[in-house]
């Protein structure tokens, strides 16, 4: 762009050139550093993790008696927690977004209410997971007598992913053209009918994105689950009552395995599995958002 | 698309009766609207029920925040009252299981503050430069490489950061430690799990937060600012650092504050690299953060000890709430004025 030719006659002189080169070098160095850190982490995880991955690792439950280490129970627990959490969090989150965008949207009367709710949503997303863990343990675990169980963990995570769902859905609702609403209402549709048949289908991909983001958050969570869902790694005996028993997710199993120093290599195996999931989630959200763009 | 089919499905051909003047701004649907589907009575009751349901959903976040705040206060205050607030906050002895137990968390608070501060000092410049690269300098090709990298960095679970830190950083620190303190008799050797390791891990973990927010705010700076600056003879880099950056200031600060929030609340990653001994936060000391203090002892604590851990949680919660309120009052207003947010 506006590069100074230091050789030619210039009113600004060489000093500026040095400034440019220096800052540019700094910018490039820092961005390279960011990417290099990530690549180094990825490569190291793949190198240490790949030898651990085999069928027994993926399909058995850990047993010190037989000397096997497997992650099947924690995969199942993770799935349980994802499903239960989303079953509760998605309707509430989408409902809250609809309330914020459709029911209070433009009216002056509700402005303070909306601002306050948005403030609390932001606050929720800023609360660290360890606090959620403490709250979940005393409220769901002790007060509601759910103890260490997958259910306690899911309820705790429900509150944690709520802001993700609300915000992403709200963004999606904002992109639904105002003319859709006016058209529907003009045809005599009632509010709920309009939301059900026009707004929600139009915001579909945004809602799906919010669900995927929530899954990412749940898969990576550990601090909120240690005191709520516990650390047991057993295969479910009864699929229906399994949520009332304690169960470790992948991250929790990995944490306990690594922190007592026994299963560091296996930890890298789990890390690799987690990285694959995270990568998949990132690609999926990217795909969805590009689809959304081509829609319009 | 879905929109048009939705309408024609529900309302076949017949002209609608009397579409009342109802704009989307009206929050209460007028119940006298007669529609072709069902009686207006059943319609209006469904409408009423749904609007109540949505209102309840909308208030869920409010309930959650107040519920959490209430429970943190209820669970956290008994221990503080029993120990005494000065003793608790400014005491330097943390011996919860001793015969004569003492609960002073000054060093733990200091560690959290110092650790967070150092990691921000280390991480923010790198993050800002990367944000500048992404928003201003990156050619499309490189952008498509760096952007997903940042996103992936944001998605990596914190235990993985902890695992890598404990396997890669800690041995390095151990070597450095034994080299620096060779022959020292007063130094307590930590085996490498120390404040530096924790700070490095935290610095990496806050990168994506700061990068994302800063990039967005840099991009929001109007084009004219840059054009004017370039036309005045400033070079590209001068424009970025002397015009664009100051214009995006409030967004950048928001990013930094969010980074602080992330760093101070992080538990599992630093759990595995900080050594977990209550100590003065010096670089080569094993230290304990507010978050790790809770995680370490929660499983075997009971009675007053357990309540004291909840009090530590309360202290952490207060820190976070202060950061949040700061974000939402001071910084938001600045952002609105600049038009960057």
């Amino acid at each position: 762009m506006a590069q100074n030719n230091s050789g030619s006659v210039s009113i600004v002189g060489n000093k500026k050139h040095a400034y440019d080169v220096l800052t540019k070098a700094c910018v490039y160095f820092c961005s390279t550093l960011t990417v290099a850190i990530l690549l180094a982490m990825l490569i190291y995880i793949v190198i240490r993790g790949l030898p651990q991955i085999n069928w027994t690792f993926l399909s058995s439950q850990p047993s010190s008696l037989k000397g096997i280490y497997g992650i099947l129970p924690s995969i199942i627990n993770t799935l349980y927690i994802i499903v239960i959490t989303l079953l509760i969090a998605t309707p509430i989150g989408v409902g809250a977004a609809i309330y914020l965008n459709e029911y209070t949207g433009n009216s002056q009367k509700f402005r303070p209410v909306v601002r306050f709710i948005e403030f609390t949503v932001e606050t929720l997303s800023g609360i660290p997971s360890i606090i959620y863990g403490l709250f979940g343990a005393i409220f769901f675990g002790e007060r509601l007598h759910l103890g260490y169980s997958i259910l306690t963990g899911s309820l705790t995570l429900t509150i944690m992913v709520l802001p993700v769902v609300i915000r992403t859905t709200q963004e999606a609702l904002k992109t639904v053209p105002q003319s859709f609403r006016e058209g529907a209402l003009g045809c005599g549709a009632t509010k709920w009918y309009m939301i059900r048949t026009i707004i929600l289908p139009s915001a579909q991909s945004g809602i799906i994105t919010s669900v995927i983001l929530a899954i990412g958050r749940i898969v990576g969570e550990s601090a909120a689950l240690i005191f709520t869902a516990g650390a047991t790694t057993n295969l479910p005996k009864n699929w229906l009552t399994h949520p009332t028993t304690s169960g470790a997710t992948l991250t929790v199993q990995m944490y306990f395995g690594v922190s007592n120093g026994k299963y560091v290599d296996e930890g890298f195996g789990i890390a690799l599995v987690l990285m694959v999931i995270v990568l998949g989630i990132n690609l999926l959200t990217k795909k969805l958002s590009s689809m959304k763009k081509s829609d319009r | 698309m879905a929109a048009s089919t939705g309408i024609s499905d529900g309302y076949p051909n017949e002209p609608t009766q009397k579409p009342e003047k109802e704009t989307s701004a009206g929050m209460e649907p007028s119940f006298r609207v007669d529609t072709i589907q069902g009686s207006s009575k059943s319609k209006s009751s469904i409408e009423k029920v749904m609007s109540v349901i949505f209102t309840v959903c909308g208030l869920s976040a409010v309930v959650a925040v107040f519920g959490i705040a209430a429970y943190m206060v209820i669970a956290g205050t008994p221990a503080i009252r029993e120990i005494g607030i000065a003793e608790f906050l400014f005491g330097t002895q943390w011996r919860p299981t001793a015969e004569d137990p003492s609960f002073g968390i000054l060093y733990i608070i200091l560690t959290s503050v110092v650790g967070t501060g150092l990691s921000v000092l280390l991480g923010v410049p790198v993050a800002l430069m990367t944000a500048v690269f992404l928003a201003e300098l990156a050619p499309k090709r490189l952008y498509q490489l760096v952007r997903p990298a940042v996103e992936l960095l944001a998605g990596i679970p914190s235990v993985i950061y902890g695992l890598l830190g404990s396997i890669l950083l800690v041995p390095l620190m151990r070597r450095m430690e034994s080299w620096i303190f060779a022959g020292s008799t007063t130094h307590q050797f930590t085996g490498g799990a120390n404040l530096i390791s924790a700070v490095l891990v935290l610095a990496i973990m806050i990168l994506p937060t700061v990068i994302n927010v800063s990039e967005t705010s840099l991009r929001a700076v109007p084009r004219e600012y840059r054009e004017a600056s370039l036309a005045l003879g400033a070079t590209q880099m001068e424009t970025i650092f002397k015009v664009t950056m100051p214009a995006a200031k409030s967004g950048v600060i928001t990013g930094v504050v969010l980074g602080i929030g992330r760093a101070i609340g992080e538990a599992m990653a630093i759990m595995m690299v900080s050594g977990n001994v209550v100590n003065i936060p010096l670089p080569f000391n094993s230290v304990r953060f507010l978050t790790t203090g809770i995680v370490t002892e929660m499983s075997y604590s009971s009675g007053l000890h357990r309540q004291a851990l909840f009090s530590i949680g309360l202290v952490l919660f207060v820190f976070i709430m202060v950061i949040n309120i700061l974000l939402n009052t001071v910084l938001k207003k600045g952002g609105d004025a600049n038009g960057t947010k």
Side-chain angles (χ1 to χ4, degrees):
Chain A
M1 270 195 234
Q3 214 65 282
N4 282 312
N5 299 323
S6 52
S8 65
V9 185
S10 154
I11 44 166
V12 279
N14 280 348
K15 215 168 141 204
K16 275 206 171 161
H17 189 71
Y19 177 86
D20 249 39
V21 169
L22 215 72
T23 46
K24 212 166 208 168
C26 198
V27 167
Y28 273 88
F29 172 75
C30 288
S31 348
T32 317
L33 186 67
T34 308
V35 179
I37 289 171
L38 176 81
L39 282 183
M41 288 171 64
L42 283 184
I43 292 170
Y44 195 76
I45 290 173
V46 171
I47 290 175
R48 296 266 322 240
L50 209 53
Q52 299 298 323
I53 308 257
N54 53 42
W55 186 241
T56 343
F57 182 72
L58 292 174
S59 70
S60 55
Q61 83 183 87
S63 152
S64 44
L65 213 63
K66 293 186 219 154
I68 347 173
Y69 192 80
I71 59 169
L72 184 64
S74 44
I75 291 179
I76 294 171
N77 291 337
T78 311
L79 288 177
Y80 261 108
I81 290 188
I82 288 174
V83 171
I84 298 173
T85 305
L86 287 179
L87 277 181
I88 310 169
T90 318
I92 298 180
V94 172
I98 288 176
Y99 177 74
L100 287 175
N101 209 54
E102 307 296 325
Y103 280 81
T104 58
N106 304 321
S107 85
Q108 276 307 315
K109 204 174 91 187
F110 279 106
R111 185 115 316 248
V113 181
V114 172
R115 283 195 73 139
F116 185 64
I117 293 178
E118 279 175 349
F119 165 69
T120 56
V121 170
E122 214 140 293
T123 308
L124 269 191
S125 67
I127 293 178
S129 45
I130 179 81
I131 299 275
Y132 283 112
L134 279 182
F135 171 74
I138 35 180
F139 184 70
F140 298 119
E142 284 172 17
R143 181 54 62 90
L144 302 183
H145 301 294
L146 294 170
Y148 280 102
S149 69
I150 290 177
L151 200 59
T152 311
S154 302
L155 290 170
T156 310
L157 291 195
T158 299
I159 309 176
M160 206 182 79
V161 300
L162 210 54
V164 180
V165 179
I166 295 178
R167 267 213 225 136
T168 321
T169 308
Q170 212 188 345
E171 287 306 312
L173 290 176
K174 275 182 191 157
T175 63
V176 176
Q178 197 60 27
S179 57
F180 284 25
R181 299 189 179 88
E182 283 157 7
L185 293 171
C187 288
T190 55
K191 192 134 205 166
W192 165 234
Y193 191 85
M194 169 194 82
I195 290 169
R196 191 161 52 91
T197 56
I198 312 287
I199 307 288
L200 286 181
S202 309
Q204 199 180 27
S205 72
I207 296 173
I208 296 173
T209 308
S210 78
V211 167
I212 294 171
L213 287 176
I215 292 178
R217 194 81 207 264
I218 298 167
V219 168
E221 192 44 59
S222 44
L225 288 171
I226 287 182
F227 311 126
T228 53
T232 322
T233 48
N234 291 328
L235 282 172
K237 292 195 183 73
N238 178 340
W239 292 89
L240 270 179
T241 56
H242 189 58
T244 58
T245 61
S246 153
T249 61
L250 283 168
T251 45
V252 175
Q253 183 186 11
M254 173 182 159
Y255 168 70
F256 281 110
V258 172
S259 63
N260 68 20
K262 268 192 200 153
Y263 299 110
V264 175
D265 289 319
E266 289 81 353
F268 276 100
I270 301 181
L272 184 58
V273 173
L274 285 170
M275 285 311 298
V276 171
I277 298 174
V278 170
L279 204 63
I281 285 172
N282 276 11
L283 291 177
L284 213 59
T285 42
K286 190 158 243 183
K287 188 107 193 262
L288 273 172
S289 70
S290 69
M291 260 165 58
K292 204 162 52 182
K293 260 175 212 141
S294 62
D295 257 14
R296 307 243 163 268
Chain B
M1 307 177 310
S4 54
T5 55
I7 292 178
S8 59
D9 282 346
Y11 296 89
N13 304 333
E14 255 176 273
T16 43
Q17 300 170 13
K18 224 199 334 181
E20 272 244 329
K21 217 193 285 165
E22 190 180 19
T23 60
S24 59
M27 59 265 56
E28 289 259 318
S30 145
F31 298 120
R32 279 180 295 113
V33 177
D34 293 303
T35 58
I36 41 171
Q37 288 197 329
S39 74
S40 65
K41 223 172 206 174
S42 74
K43 261 282 152 64
S44 68
S45 64
I46 291 177
E47 287 297 317
K48 258 185 195 159
V49 169
M50 288 320 291
S51 91
V52 168
I53 289 177
F54 284 131
T55 313
V56 170
C57 287
L59 294 176
S60 59
V62 181
V63 174
V65 167
F66 279 92
I68 291 174
Y71 261 84
M72 289 317 293
V73 172
I74 291 171
T77 39
I80 295 183
R81 210 172 301 145
E82 194 163 336
I83 299 159
I85 189 154
E87 168 75 32
F88 183 67
L89 290 180
F90 301 112
T92 54
Q93 298 288 327
W94 177 259
R95 283 196 308 257
T97 48
E99 194 96 342
D100 174 30
S102 57
F103 302 91
I105 62 165
L106 183 64
Y107 287 159
I108 303 182
I109 295 178
L110 276 181
T111 302
S112 266
V113 172
V114 171
T116 303
L118 287 178
S119 62
V120 166
L121 274 184
L122 217 61
V124 164
V126 177
L128 273 187
M129 294 296 168
T130 311
V132 165
F133 178 74
L134 284 172
E136 306 280 333
L137 291 174
K140 203 159 184 242
R141 272 271 177 74
L142 277 177
Y143 184 83
Q144 280 164 348
L145 185 85
V146 180
R147 187 71 244 171
V150 173
E151 269 154 28
L152 196 57
L153 215 51
I156 296 177
S158 49
V159 271
I160 294 189
Y161 282 104
L163 171 69
L164 289 170
S166 67
I167 299 299
L168 296 175
L169 275 178
V170 169
L172 201 75
M173 287 301 146
R174 187 187 310 142
R175 220 167 301 154
M176 258 173 86
E177 190 185 25
S178 56
W179 181 66
I180 292 175
F181 293 97
S184 158
T185 48
T186 49
H187 182 71
Q188 253 190 339
F189 282 89
T190 60
N194 57 25
L195 183 67
I196 303 179
S197 313
V199 164
L200 286 175
V201 169
L202 283 179
I204 297 174
M205 290 188 76
I206 63 169
L207 284 181
T209 313
V210 184
I211 291 175
N212 285 337
V213 182
S214 311
E215 191 201 336
T216 315
S217 59
L218 282 174
R219 279 186 188 282
V221 174
R223 235 183 110 81
E224 290 79 10
Y225 286 28
R226 297 188 188 104
E227 281 164 359
S229 162
L230 291 173
L232 285 171
T235 63
Q236 189 189 7
M237 300 312 288
E238 279 178 322
T239 305
I240 292 172
F241 285 103
K242 293 181 179 163
V243 177
T244 318
M245 203 73 119
K249 194 174 61 189
S250 76
V252 171
I253 294 174
T254 306
V256 173
V257 176
L258 283 174
I260 293 175
R262 172 115 205 242
I264 208 165
E266 183 47 51
M268 304 319 284
I270 46 175
M271 181 81 201
M272 297 156 99
V273 294
S274 65
N276 272 313
V277 184
V278 181
N279 243 332
I280 307 172
L282 290 174
F284 282 96
N285 275 357
S286 275
V287 287
R288 181 176 293 180
F289 292 76
L290 286 168
T291 49
T292 59
I294 301 169
V295 179
T296 334
E297 294 180 354
M298 196 65 184
S299 51
Y300 61 83
S301 64
S302 61
L304 184 62
H305 181 192
R306 188 173 161 84
Q307 287 178 334
L309 292 182
F310 284 125
S311 304
I312 295 182
L314 180 62
V315 172
L316 178 64
F317 187 70
V318 169
F319 269 106
I320 294 291
M321 286 314 277
V322 167
I323 289 173
N324 263 311
I325 289 168
L326 203 74
L327 265 178
N328 274 286
T329 52
V330 184
L331 294 172
K332 264 286 160 56
K333 263 177 205 140
D336 285 344
N338 281 353
T340 49
K341 179 81 202 206

